[in-house]
Amino acid sequence: MIDLRSDTVTKPSEAMRRAMAEADVGDDVYGEDPTANRLRAVVAERLGKEDALFVPSGVMGNQILLNALTSPSDEVICERHAHIFHYESGTPAAFSGIQLYPVEGKRGVITPEQVEPMIRPESAYYMPRTRVVAVENTHNRAGGGVWTLDEIAALGKLCAQRGLYYHLDGARIWNAATATGATPAEIASEFDTVSACFSKGLGAPVGSAIAGDKAVIAEAFRVRKAMGGGMRQIGVLAAAALHALENNVDRLAEDHERARRLADALANLDGAELVYDETPTNIVLFRTPGVDTTTAIERCRERGLLISHGTVDSLRLVAHLDVGDEEIGEAISILEELFGESS
Ligand code: TLP
């Protein structure tokens, strides 16, 4: 099986497993895990923030931060296809008592002109209180769309002017950095808080990090425990994350190249159409007019190719470190066989 459902399906390499086995550990609820503490320092430095914290998942990272930044009945402005809106189990409402106010972006990017009229006026006591603007980079449901630094800065300026927190779901910030040539710290610099994943694209079996100033991370430490995310000897997991950062970031350009190969092949098929002309990172969204998505997924599976849903009417292919050039070639042959000869 060639598995292109997600960049989360990777298995830890031998070297990563060795690093995990050899990790120094302690009880992280007491703040005494040396490897987790090293990871905190490394991530804070990479993201240019005062402090960072290891968390079990990307969802928990986003939700801890939204909780830390808001009070019940507050509102968070986000993009209509945001992961926090579609795929985080309604946790903003369930755990934090807050609501999301989504706006349609252009490939995941929302502008100050769109956001400004959505900010609730201070005087309107009967409205929810706008507290946070949350963005996603790269943007998953926008086919791995990337924000430019100027776009990030323009929205950041509005947030600063209006006293709003600016949060980045940077699950794939490493891919955004690879695509733009900016460093993760440059991408993160405008944001008050950032979440970033080690288990997507970087090959770690589990784990994300959140970063921000010391005060917000101190609050996040408390909220992580409240959400059931206080963990003990997590040095074994932090070691995987450190290994991932050291070894698997620089190679992300290969995934982007392979995703482009997939997109170029799909562009030539009569029975497939790309959702976006450009493939800036490792995600490709496409449609198969005439074949519904569930049937298309099943036909691919029968031939040994695993793919997933993208948005409601599209399919998703994700390149990652466990698929090489040969597997991409085989995947293309299967797609050609199913969705039309090259034209
Ligand atoms: N995304 C997963 C699925 O949930 C869709 C995937 O396969 O892409 N933010 C973004 C932008 C994400 O893409 C994801 C995972 C998360 C947060 C959540 O991370 P986890 O799954 O670690 O909780």
Side-chain angles (χ1 to χ4, degrees):
M1 281 286 180
I2 301 163
D3 196 345
L4 298 180
R5 286 173 302 173
S6 181
D7 46 8
T8 60
V9 300
T10 56
K11 301 204 172 125
S13 65
E14 280 304 316
M16 183 179 279
R17 286 168 197 252
R18 260 197 313 281
M20 296 172 76
E22 289 164 8
D24 279 340
V25 296
D27 190 334
D28 188 59
V29 170
Y30 292 96
E32 290 174 2
D33 188 289
T35 313
N37 288 340
R38 188 150 61 85
L39 177 65
R40 287 178 72 165
V42 167
V43 171
E45 210 245 308
R46 288 240 188 167
L47 298 181
K49 298 293 177 206
E50 279 177 18
D51 204 356
L53 190 64
F54 184 80
V55 294
S57 69
V59 169
M60 199 187 281
N62 284 328
Q63 297 304 327
I64 286 171
L65 289 171
L66 291 183
N67 182 274
L69 299 175
T70 59
S71 301
S73 89
D74 283 350
E75 191 165 70
V76 174
I77 297 172
C78 68
E79 202 278 328
R80 179 172 120 48
H81 293 283
H83 198 277
I84 58 167
F85 186 52
H86 286 276
Y87 298 132
E88 304 200 356
S89 311
T91 305
F95 187 76
S96 300
I98 57 176
Q99 68 185 22
L100 302 180
Y101 189 5
V103 55
E104 180 95 38
K106 212 165 162 198
R107 203 156 187 191
V109 175
I110 54 177
T111 64
E113 291 70 31
Q114 288 179 290
V115 170
E116 184 150 36
M118 298 169 72
I119 301 171
R120 310 288 188 174
E122 285 287 330
S123 55
Y125 62 87
Y126 41 83
M127 285 182 168
R129 186 176 54 162
T130 311
R131 253 313 196 202
V132 181
V133 175
V135 309
E136 191 174 311
N137 187 21
T138 68
H139 195 297
N140 186 349
R141 274 170 66 106
V146 179
W147 289 61
T148 65
L149 290 180
D150 285 347
E151 287 163 343
I152 293 171
L155 192 51
K157 191 171 165 207
L158 175 67
C159 292
Q161 279 165 354
R162 301 297 296 268
L164 303 176
Y165 292 117
Y166 195 26
H167 169 69
L168 172 63
D169 177 351
R172 296 185 180 82
I173 191 172
W174 325 108
N175 298 83
T178 302
T180 57
T183 64
E186 284 166 342
I187 293 171
S189 73
E190 295 285 330
F191 294 95
D192 298 294
T193 55
V194 181
S195 62
C197 292
F198 310 116
S199 61
K200 280 155 216 82
L202 301 195
V206 63
S208 290
I210 53 179
D213 68 20
K214 279 193 188 310
V216 78
I217 295 302
E219 175 64 2
F221 196 77
R222 191 188 68 76
V223 179
R224 183 183 67 168
K225 191 80 174 80
M227 289 187 89
M231 300 164 288
R232 303 294 176 175
Q233 287 70 26
I234 55 169
V236 287
L237 302 177
L242 283 164
H243 182 90
L245 284 176
E246 276 152 30
N247 297 283
N248 295 340
V249 174
D250 290 346
R251 58 155 306 286
L252 287 172
E254 290 175 34
D255 296 343
H256 297 186
E257 186 50 45
R258 290 183 180 125
R260 268 193 295 276
R261 254 183 88 195
L262 288 164
D264 289 349
L266 285 165
N268 285 324
L269 301 184
D270 297 336
E273 67 185 31
L274 291 171
V275 175
Y276 298 105
D277 290 338
E278 279 168 23
T279 305
T281 60
N282 65 329
I283 301 177
V284 182
L285 297 185
F286 70 106
R287 298 193 186 90
T288 51
V291 184
D292 71 81
T293 50
T294 306
T295 306
I297 289 171
E298 193 41 44
R299 288 189 187 157
C300 286
R301 175 186 284 275
E302 281 162 9
R303 282 167 179 76
L305 175 63
L306 300 179
I307 67 173
S308 61
H309 282 102
T311 52
V312 178
D313 67 341
S314 70
L315 297 157
R316 185 177 78 151
L317 303 172
V318 189
H320 56 78
L321 82 170
D322 284 359
V323 287
D325 286 333
E326 207 173 305
E327 283 108 326
I328 294 294
E330 282 172 44
I332 288 171
S333 303
I334 294 167
L335 293 166
E336 283 173 350
E337 185 197 327
L338 287 172
F339 304 116
E341 294 301 307
S342 294
S343 56

